[in-house]
Amino acid sequence: MTLATVLPVVWFGVIGFGVLMYVLLDGFVLGLGILAPFAEDERQLDHMMNTAAPIWDGNETWLVLGGAGLLAAFPKAYAIVLSALYLPVLLMLVALIFRGVAFEFRFKAVRAKPFWGAAFALGSICTAFAQGVILGALVEGMPLAGGKYVGGHLLGSALAWFSPFSMLTGVALVFGYALLGSGWLILKTEGRLQQVARTLARPLVLVVVAFMGLVSAWLPFLDSRIMARWFEGGHLWWLAPVPLLALANAWLLWRAALREGRDWAPFVLTLSFFALGFAGLVLGIWPNIVPPSLTIWEAASPPSSQGFVLAGLVVLLPAILGYTAWSYRVFRGKIAADAGYH
């Protein structure tokens, strides 16, 4: 094998890992914002936000890693995705900034505290929805001609990503992050707030599983070749464990949601549910980085460029992993209602 063959595979794995880490780690913080309207009072919302206050702002590092890796290793894919999806990407970035400002300002505000609490919720919901729309548009496929995106319809090319399927995935991810947030609260809190989280978790499991079923049932009607990947050439036999494990995971999560004790189980099972869904997506689009037809080798930068950036990643990635593990270890355990970090 040559470097031109191997390096794109390595970078595809690195970017996929970065995106998955962002979804898992920042997903529960977005979930806290989505669940903010269910807080019974301002003190309970303080408690919810304090569970993530020491670690939330480091999670975006993984998003930066994924975006920077895509630009460095697959510039053609980066150009196509950003030009086709710049409106939902812009919404996501603005909402992330809005959420961050609201998170910090709310702890300092007095009379405006309810406003910043609502802003935190709105920023989180918009971020989750935009990410779901981006995912749906990618899964639906981006038709190319001469290496350029040729999508578009009556609404114009700027809104070519807008479709019933991408709206469905946008709403689905909002509920998915809410489930992550409820699992995190069960893990990190006790008393009344934990009971509120348990009450929300079980219906959220049903809603998320229903959305996953709807998305899976819709896939055969999309021209993205993902279903063909699953059913052609006997692929189903070795890909089948992923959906079967996801169903088993959903059943265990349903049982764990209201079971007292083992507070770690709902959060860990939700993380694994997301990981299995992500694995199914990657297996469905492989070896394309932009469905339905742009492969990782066609989109790759020269091996010299990929190798140069990879040398820096060898130092950077262990540092990010080490800091992330250290920070979660330092702030492990339950967060009391009167604890604060601001």
Side-chain angles (χ1 to χ4, degrees):
M1 291 187 181
T2 64
L3 286 177
T5 303
V6 174
L7 284 176
V9 178
V10 172
W11 271 106
F12 185 80
V14 168
I15 294 169
F17 178 72
V19 171
L20 178 61
M21 288 294 289
Y22 170 77
V23 168
L24 297 182
L25 297 182
D26 202 41
F28 72 79
V29 184
L30 291 168
L32 295 180
I34 295 165
L35 295 177
F38 295 94
E40 296 174 332
D41 52 42
E42 291 296 327
R43 290 190 64 186
Q44 195 171 87
L45 183 54
D46 285 341
H47 193 187
M48 292 171 63
M49 296 174 70
N50 275 326
T51 63
I55 42 85
W56 76 274
D57 49 355
N59 296 330
E60 280 80 5
T61 305
W62 296 103
L63 184 63
V64 174
L65 175 65
L70 185 66
L71 173 61
F74 305 106
K76 190 173 183 179
Y78 182 90
I80 291 170
V81 171
L82 266 292
S83 61
L85 301 176
Y86 69 88
L87 284 180
V89 170
L90 181 62
L91 171 62
M92 178 188 72
L93 295 176
V94 171
L96 278 172
I97 295 170
F98 194 55
R99 180 197 67 157
V101 170
F103 196 103
E104 297 296 337
F105 276 37
R106 185 183 173 278
F107 284 104
K108 303 298 183 183
V110 179
R111 287 180 297 177
K113 204 165 190 176
F115 169 79
W116 290 114
F120 175 59
L122 180 62
S124 300
I125 293 170
C126 289
T127 299
F129 180 74
Q131 291 177 4
V133 168
I134 293 168
L135 173 63
L138 287 172
V139 170
E140 202 164 7
M142 296 184 174
L144 306 175
K148 296 182 178 181
Y149 178 60
V150 294
H153 43 55
L154 294 178
L155 293 175
S157 59
L159 295 177
W161 46 269
F162 184 91
S163 69
F165 182 77
S166 65
M167 296 299 103
L168 174 69
T169 54
V171 175
L173 196 59
V174 172
F175 282 97
Y177 282 160
L179 179 59
L180 264 177
S182 65
W184 174 257
L185 289 176
I186 293 171
L187 174 67
K188 299 293 287 185
T189 65
E190 294 176 315
R192 179 57 188 165
L193 180 54
Q194 188 186 68
Q195 290 302 316
V196 171
R198 288 188 181 277
T199 302
L200 292 170
R202 209 167 196 186
L204 283 171
V205 173
L206 292 178
V207 172
V208 171
V209 171
F211 270 116
M212 184 169 282
L214 282 173
V215 170
S216 300
W218 203 316
L219 286 177
F221 301 97
L222 299 178
D223 186 26
S224 64
R225 303 181 190 176
I226 289 181
M227 291 304 290
R229 172 75 179 176
W230 280 77
F231 290 101
E232 285 181 352
H235 291 165
L236 181 62
W237 294 107
W238 62 274
L239 293 176
V242 175
L244 292 177
L245 286 172
L247 288 174
N249 192 110
W251 168 246
L252 292 173
L253 180 55
W254 163 260
R255 294 183 61 188
L258 286 180
R259 182 179 295 178
E260 297 294 336
R262 294 188 178 182
D263 293 345
W264 57 267
F267 184 62
V268 172
L269 287 169
T270 306
L271 291 178
S272 62
F273 196 57
F274 267 77
L276 287 167
F278 187 80
L281 172 64
V282 172
L283 290 171
I285 68 174
W286 174 265
N288 296 321
I289 192 167
V290 180
S293 57
L294 185 67
T295 69
I296 58 174
W297 297 283
E298 293 170 337
S301 59
S304 58
S305 298
Q306 292 190 11
F308 177 78
V309 182
L310 189 62
L313 185 69
V314 170
V315 177
L316 181 63
L317 187 57
I320 299 174
L321 284 169
Y323 169 77
T324 300
W326 176 79
S327 61
Y328 277 81
R329 178 176 173 78
V330 168
F331 295 103
R332 67 189 182 277
K334 299 288 186 179
I335 304 298
D338 58 351
Y341 295 96
H342 289 75

